[in-house]
Amino acid sequence: MSGAPSRTVEYLMQVSSEVSPMSVSADGSPLPVTIVGGYLGSGKTTLINQILNKASGRRYAVLVNDFGELAIDAQLIESEDGNVINLSGGCVCCSYGNDLTSAMMELDTSAIDQVVIEASGVALPGAIAGSLSLLTSYTLSSIVVLADCVTVQSHASDKYLADTIARQLASADLILLNKTDLLDESQLVQKKDWVRSNYQSARCVATSHADYPVDLFLTEHTSRDVNQCDKTNDSETHLTSVYTTFKLEVKDKYNVQQLAANLAETEPGLLRVKGFARDLSGQMQLIQIVGRRWNVRPAPVSAKEGIVCIGLSADNLCSEGVSARAGLI
Amino acid sequence: MITIYSAKKIVTMNPARPEATHVAVRDGRIIGTGALAELEGFGAGTLDDRFANKVIMPGFIEGHSHAVEGKWWRYVYCGFFDRMDPHGKVWSGVETIDAVVERLKQRDEAMTDPETPIAGWSIDPIYFAEKQLTRKDLDRVSTKRPIGIMHASGHIMNVNTRALELAGFLREGIDNGGLPLGDDGLPTGELRGPDVMMPVGAHAGFDSNMLDFDEPGLLDFGKLCVRTGVTTATDLAARLTDEIVGIGIDVTSRDNFPVRLSAYRFHHGLTPKELVRQVMNLTEKSTDRFRLGRIKIVADGSIQGFTARINPPGYYNGAPNGLWYIAPEQMLEIYELALQNNIQVHTHTNGDEATDLAIDMLEKALQKFPSNDHRFTIQHGQLVNAAQFRRMAKLGFCVNHFANHHFYWGDEHYQFTVGPERAERMNPCRTALDNNIPLAIHSDAPITPIGPLFTAWCAVNRITGSGRVQGHHERITVDEALYAITMGAAYTLQMDHEIGSIEAGKRADFAVLEDDPTEAEPFALRDIGVWGTVQDGRVFDASQL
């Protein structure tokens, strides 16, 4: 995916904006944080470069261990000051060295919509999420872990790295099995099977050059109109044909937590789910799913019922099938 | 101008002339040792007999300390053991929770603003009968001002209710192993691990950059050095920002600053290439008393924090293996670039798995960039075993063991962390020497007090806090320990041609002692008084600081 965000993605951004204006500056509620983990060479920085270089209108604070391999388009850089680079459009990139907690505490969140943390190659994203849970100005959005499909299995049995790699992958909501261009089809199938059978708590997607629509995990909020839910049916064509988008009919009242959990567990898996449904008391709730992490929180009454799902086209997903498996019908 | 000092005895650590009665100094350097008549051959000089009743040794060298100890003394000392501050005051150890509260109350009463935080340090509740310290204990000092006390290990902190409140942690529903909960469902005030300590500690008055020294702190660190006979020390994990380098160069260059400080840039926050480039640039700023241009890698965490990487059978209490703080490829790349550019690297390893990694990586790096005198050093290496030493010897690794650990946490290691067998062979100084590994021993100040004679006592006696000898077979002799705190440490810092012994041509760096350590009972080593130091020919009387 390149260029402007697809309309599907735009929609996703819009849905959440009005519903959950989460910036600390706005109403004191916490800022969403995405943790990007994975061992050295798995493609984390490539993914981070995409986030920084693609002006999507949202203001990210991207925290990296070091500026090392970052490739920020020089034209985007407004100013640099030691550990902080300010980008045009309001994004900021900071290096935190060995002290992520301090960096998070010192971050000026007033002009930031979302935080992305690039974990170091040996850091455990689950442990970072644990510390994050103590910082009331932030809330975990999702953990994305990249794996180099060529080396991940040997790393996972390496004398020094085995447990670190396993703990990294086990903490993921979404695993990007990267560098798949280096494998042939049968090798790739074997790698995917290996990841999927060993790390069932995450969705796994094959990528090359970390080319994944980052908005599928970075769409927590922006300030746009919420009532564009109906426009989504025709928008799937705007993601590449690798991905498919469809909408679920939602008319009833539900145990929304259970519904979200079901949607996160359906097989073949969904990569991104977002939408509204009424709970058993009639209150409108927002459902968000990234990979296998689901989240439910109250939504304004003005929100319109409906759930948008995005998955892989290759999985032959359809609205009816997912609805049935999730217990919607 | 020549000054000839007389002494009751001069222990030179120079095997060619191990003892002398006089030492001659010119322009900060030693020009000779021997009898007065021998030294007069250099020409006319002044005889200075102020040390006539003292014993002179080479200035002690602390090969693993953090200069930030000077700054930490601005916090309230709450340690279990007596400890001397930079001004020479010995703070008695606090042995009960009541005593901790009492000490904090004294500070509280001396303060005018009721909301200013109080930070304390070096508490060790494992020695308290009650063991459990909670926020309610600290609330007896104040409920208005935030209060925090860092544990001696540096891995845990206790805070009062106000501090928790300010940090937003005084709430139900917290689910984090770092924040144990009380019966009321609220945090007890114990904070385990830096990720939890940081956000609360900031409210309790702790500086977020725990390892950065400042100007008054560095001056105070210098005083501690004089009081313990240290003339060369290390700042072994420094960020070395422009600001810190500026302070370091300025303060150490002053006529009254008594220590040569070697600062090692730690690896965090930079890629290997950036790290080596930055350190090479720093080399150019290096001064005589502020040495720059070396690297410190931190490979793993700590044993008592269960974050060290240890080999099977793992932790005695079943805790999962610890954490890597660097990836193998990064360590290899730093080693290679450092060897290629003739930069020395010291590597912190606590667990034996981390030591394995350092050995493997150096072996690989040396195949690519052979070096016949790199002096790469394992710092702590608390669980190094004999097989690892045999490989280390072949590769040219030095080791600097954490001898003080036995005294402060030996019982803890025996009971909880690694169990009896491995506790008895931690910091195996004897095995290191038997394998011809160049050996230094250290305090890791401020984690334990700087004081090479005490560190030597620890290595010689291996006494734990409860008074047991832990690992008889790893004890070393007094002479070996004295070598480790002088020539041994000098060698690991690549300064053995300048310091570490009293002989012609070296720096006039002396520890001036009240008694002769070489004649002392091994158990009395730590009780030998320190009059002060001579550093680069400048005399520092500890009682006049």
Side-chain angles (χ1 to χ4, degrees):
Chain A
M1 209 182 80
S2 61
S6 74
R7 285 172 60 191
T8 299
V9 167
E10 236 166 62
Y11 161 71
L12 288 173
M13 290 153 60
Q14 289 155 3
V15 165
S16 60
S17 59
E18 290 292 308
V19 181
S20 53
M22 298 210 312
S23 160
V24 167
S25 58
D27 66 355
S29 64
L31 270 180
V33 179
T34 301
I35 301 171
V36 175
Y39 192 62
L40 296 186
S42 59
K44 293 191 299 293
T45 307
T46 312
L47 192 69
I48 295 292
N49 283 337
Q50 281 189 53
I51 296 169
L52 285 171
N53 288 309
K54 196 184 292 174
S56 63
R58 270 164 299 144
R59 301 164 302 176
Y60 299 120
V62 178
L63 279 68
V64 299
N65 188 253
D66 55 66
F67 288 143
E69 307 293 322
L70 276 187
I72 304 174
D73 184 346
Q75 292 184 331
L76 291 177
I77 296 179
E78 284 194 336
S79 63
E80 274 187 81
D81 177 21
N83 297 331
V84 180
I85 300 176
N86 289 298
L87 306 180
S88 57
C91 290
V92 58
C93 183
C94 323
S95 74
Y96 58 83
N98 66 332
D99 197 351
L100 178 60
T101 306
S102 294
M104 294 290 284
M105 287 166 60
E106 286 161 15
L107 190 65
D108 175 8
T109 53
S110 61
I112 294 296
D113 300 318
Q114 180 159 6
V115 179
V116 180
I117 297 171
E118 183 193 20
S120 84
V122 285
L124 305 180
I128 294 175
S131 340
L132 200 64
S133 68
L134 295 172
L135 300 177
T136 46
S137 12
Y138 301 98
T139 181
L140 179 65
S141 172
S142 63
I143 298 176
V144 179
V145 174
L146 289 99
D148 177 335
C149 64
V150 180
T151 57
V152 66
Q153 264 184 293
S154 63
H155 283 153
S157 57
D158 181 86
K159 161 181 176 194
Y160 294 118
L161 295 172
D163 63 318
T164 303
I165 300 299
R167 286 156 90 178
Q168 288 179 346
L169 291 170
S171 67
D173 302 309
L174 176 67
I175 294 172
L176 300 183
L177 186 59
N178 194 27
K179 303 192 175 179
T180 53
D181 51 315
L182 302 177
L183 296 183
D184 66 30
E185 191 55 35
S186 67
Q187 290 170 316
L188 180 56
V189 168
Q190 184 269 326
K191 296 288 178 186
K192 277 190 202 167
D193 286 348
W194 179 81
V195 172
R196 286 175 178 160
S197 58
N198 283 287
Y199 301 102
Q200 295 176 4
S201 61
R203 295 290 170 209
C204 175
V205 181
T207 57
S208 60
H209 307 286
D211 187 8
Y212 185 77
V214 294
D215 296 299
L216 293 191
F217 59 85
L218 292 180
T219 51
E220 281 282 350
H221 68 272
T222 181
S223 49
R224 306 236 183 112
D225 183 11
V226 63
N227 293 319
Q228 299 200 2
C229 210
D230 295 334
K231 290 189 186 173
T232 57
N233 284 340
D234 64 342
S235 61
E236 60 195 81
T237 51
H238 296 274
L239 273 172
T240 64
S241 58
V242 173
Y243 303 95
T244 178
T245 305
F246 52 91
K247 193 177 162 191
L248 307 181
E249 291 297 321
V250 181
K251 295 291 179 205
D252 243 330
K253 291 178 182 173
Y254 303 90
N255 177 339
V256 178
Q257 309 270 338
Q258 188 59 51
L259 174 61
N262 290 351
L263 284 168
E265 289 305 311
T266 57
E267 295 293 344
L270 302 168
L271 299 173
R272 184 74 169 107
V273 176
K274 194 170 228 175
F276 304 103
R278 283 186 201 285
D279 66 16
L280 296 172
S281 70
Q283 162 74 42
M284 195 65 88
Q285 301 283 344
L286 168 67
I287 297 174
Q288 297 232 46
I289 300 174
V290 174
R292 269 204 159 121
R293 179 177 297 269
W294 59 268
N295 237 303
V296 171
R297 51 178 180 263
V301 279
S302 63
K304 283 191 179 174
E305 290 160 301
I307 296 174
V308 175
C309 301
I310 299 178
L312 291 172
S313 305
D315 287 336
N316 291 319
L317 295 157
C318 68
S319 178
E320 293 71 25
V322 170
S323 297
R325 287 192 290 276
L328 267 170
I329 49 175
Chain B
M1 199 180 92
I2 297 170
T3 305
I4 299 175
Y5 294 101
S6 64
K8 187 159 77 185
K9 181 176 174 182
I10 299 170
V11 179
T12 67
M13 305 308 280
N14 169 15
R17 187 163 271 214
E19 288 178 18
T21 55
H22 293 76
V23 55
V25 174
R26 186 174 61 203
D27 299 332
R29 284 184 189 270
I30 298 160
I31 57 173
T33 62
L36 182 59
E38 291 178 300
L39 300 177
E40 282 169 342
F42 278 107
T46 314
L47 180 65
D48 187 330
D49 60 3
R50 72 175 100 184
F51 303 137
N53 296 320
K54 312 290 179 198
V55 173
I56 294 179
M57 276 197 67
F60 297 140
I61 300 165
E62 174 48 87
H64 188 151
S65 55
H66 302 279
V68 78
E69 168 150 10
K71 190 163 85 176
W72 285 23
W73 275 105
R74 302 208 284 271
Y75 308 143
V76 182
Y77 179 69
C78 299
F80 181 80
F81 300 96
D82 296 355
R83 187 156 174 167
M84 184 172 59
D85 75 9
H87 310 289
K89 173 181 172 181
V90 176
W91 291 68
S92 59
V94 285
E95 302 185 357
T96 63
I97 289 175
D98 284 344
V100 172
V101 170
E102 198 46 48
R103 179 158 294 176
L104 291 167
K105 270 187 179 163
Q106 287 167 14
R107 176 69 65 99
D108 175 76
E109 281 157 15
M111 293 165 75
T112 47
D113 182 282
E115 291 176 7
T116 305
I118 297 179
W121 66 296
S122 209
I123 196 168
D124 218 340
I126 59 168
Y127 293 112
F128 298 161
E130 311 96 307
K131 295 237 175 202
Q132 291 300 321
L133 177 68
T134 71
R135 63 190 162 89
K136 295 192 173 113
D137 296 310
L138 299 182
D139 286 348
R140 284 154 56 197
V141 181
S142 172
T143 52
K144 289 198 181 107
R145 65 171 92 251
I147 298 172
I149 316 178
M150 191 162 21
H151 286 215
S153 68
H155 301 286
I156 302 176
M157 187 182 285
N158 275 94
V159 297
N160 71 345
T161 301
R162 184 64 184 141
L164 279 177
E165 210 168 62
L166 287 171
F169 290 174
L170 194 68
R171 54 186 160 97
E172 288 178 22
I174 286 180
D175 179 18
N176 184 298
L179 269 179
L181 305 179
D183 295 337
D184 56 1
L186 297 171
T188 61
E190 184 173 309
L191 316 171
R192 298 177 185 159
D195 293 333
V196 193
M197 285 160 58
M198 287 303 309
V200 193
H203 293 286
F206 287 96
D207 195 321
S208 65
N209 289 310
M210 298 289 280
L211 289 177
D212 285 351
F213 58 71
D214 58 8
E215 181 184 334
L218 192 51
L219 289 167
D220 277 350
F221 181 71
K223 291 177 182 170
L224 282 168
C225 290
V226 172
R227 296 185 192 285
T228 52
V230 173
T231 52
T232 297
T234 37
D235 192 33
L236 208 71
R239 288 197 307 157
L240 296 180
T241 57
D242 290 346
E243 188 192 354
I244 298 294
V245 169
I247 295 171
I249 291 172
D250 167 33
V251 172
T252 58
S253 69
R254 297 180 194 174
D255 289 341
N256 62 352
F257 190 77
V259 189
R260 186 178 297 103
L261 197 65
S262 187
Y264 283 62
R265 173 58 161 100
F266 73 1
H267 80 270
H268 289 294
L270 297 172
T271 63
K273 285 186 191 69
E274 285 174 324
L275 174 69
V276 170
R277 188 174 47 79
Q278 198 182 95
V279 167
M280 287 171 75
N281 289 340
L282 283 171
T283 308
E284 292 162 18
K285 294 186 177 173
S286 191
T287 67
D288 187 46
R289 285 209 286 274
F290 194 60
R291 304 290 177 97
L292 297 163
R294 294 177 175 78
I295 291 172
K296 163 88 173 286
I297 289 176
V298 180
D300 66 344
S302 75
I303 297 169
Q304 71 270 38
F306 300 98
T307 47
R309 292 289 310 190
I310 70 173
N311 282 328
Y315 287 104
Y316 193 50
N317 70 353
N321 205 349
L323 304 173
W324 290 114
Y325 291 152
I326 188 167
E329 287 92 329
Q330 290 171 322
M331 186 190 280
L332 178 64
E333 191 179 352
I334 295 172
Y335 280 2
E336 287 181 352
L337 289 168
L339 288 170
Q340 197 179 0
N341 292 290
N342 203 20
I343 290 172
Q344 193 202 26
V345 182
H346 281 206
T347 305
H348 154 127
T349 72
N350 264 313
D352 46 3
E353 189 189 8
T355 304
D356 268 343
L357 178 67
I359 294 170
D360 282 355
M361 294 304 112
L362 183 59
E363 190 172 54
K364 260 193 197 175
L366 281 169
Q367 282 163 7
K368 208 160 159 188
F369 299 103
S371 163
N372 47 22
D373 191 19
H374 53 75
R375 303 199 196 178
F376 278 25
T377 300
I378 294 290
Q379 289 287 352
H380 302 325
Q382 297 209 71
L383 282 170
V384 178
N385 59 41
Q388 290 177 325
F389 275 137
R390 288 188 283 273
R391 292 182 68 199
M392 286 167 63
K394 293 205 170 73
L395 297 174
F397 254 127
C398 310
V399 74
N400 188 342
H401 278 316
F402 199 164
N404 288 16
H405 228 266
H406 294 279
F407 183 71
Y408 290 98
W409 293 287
D411 296 310
E412 187 92 343
H413 292 313
Y414 191 91
Q415 292 170 41
F416 302 111
T417 65
V418 294
E421 178 178 337
R422 285 174 293 170
E424 285 174 358
R425 67 159 178 79
M426 281 177 75
N427 295 292
C429 295
R430 173 82 272 141
T431 309
L433 291 176
D434 289 348
N435 283 281
N436 297 314
I437 306 284
L439 171 74
I441 49 180
H442 68 262
S443 67
D444 198 13
I447 301 303
T448 74
I450 190 168
L453 282 174
F454 174 74
T455 302
W457 176 86
C458 289
V460 166
N461 296 290
R462 290 183 68 97
I463 304 277
T464 67
S466 69
R468 293 182 302 114
V469 175
Q470 189 156 286
H472 291 80
H473 59 290
E474 290 295 354
R475 292 179 301 179
I476 56 176
T477 67
V478 170
D479 285 348
E480 288 166 336
L482 294 176
Y483 190 89
I485 59 173
T486 53
M487 284 302 294
Y491 185 87
T492 65
L493 302 180
Q494 299 179 307
M495 289 197 231
D496 53 310
H497 57 296
E498 291 182 86
I499 56 175
S501 62
I502 301 177
E503 58 183 286
K506 286 199 171 180
R507 302 295 182 130
D509 285 7
F510 310 139
V512 182
L513 309 175
E514 303 292 352
D515 288 298
D516 179 3
T518 63
E519 299 289 325
E521 282 298 316
F523 204 76
L525 207 49
R526 64 174 173 178
D527 301 321
I528 289 172
V530 175
W531 176 88
T533 59
V534 176
Q535 207 266 1
D536 269 347
R538 300 169 303 155
V539 178
F540 296 96
D541 178 348
S543 70
Q544 302 298 315
L545 291 173

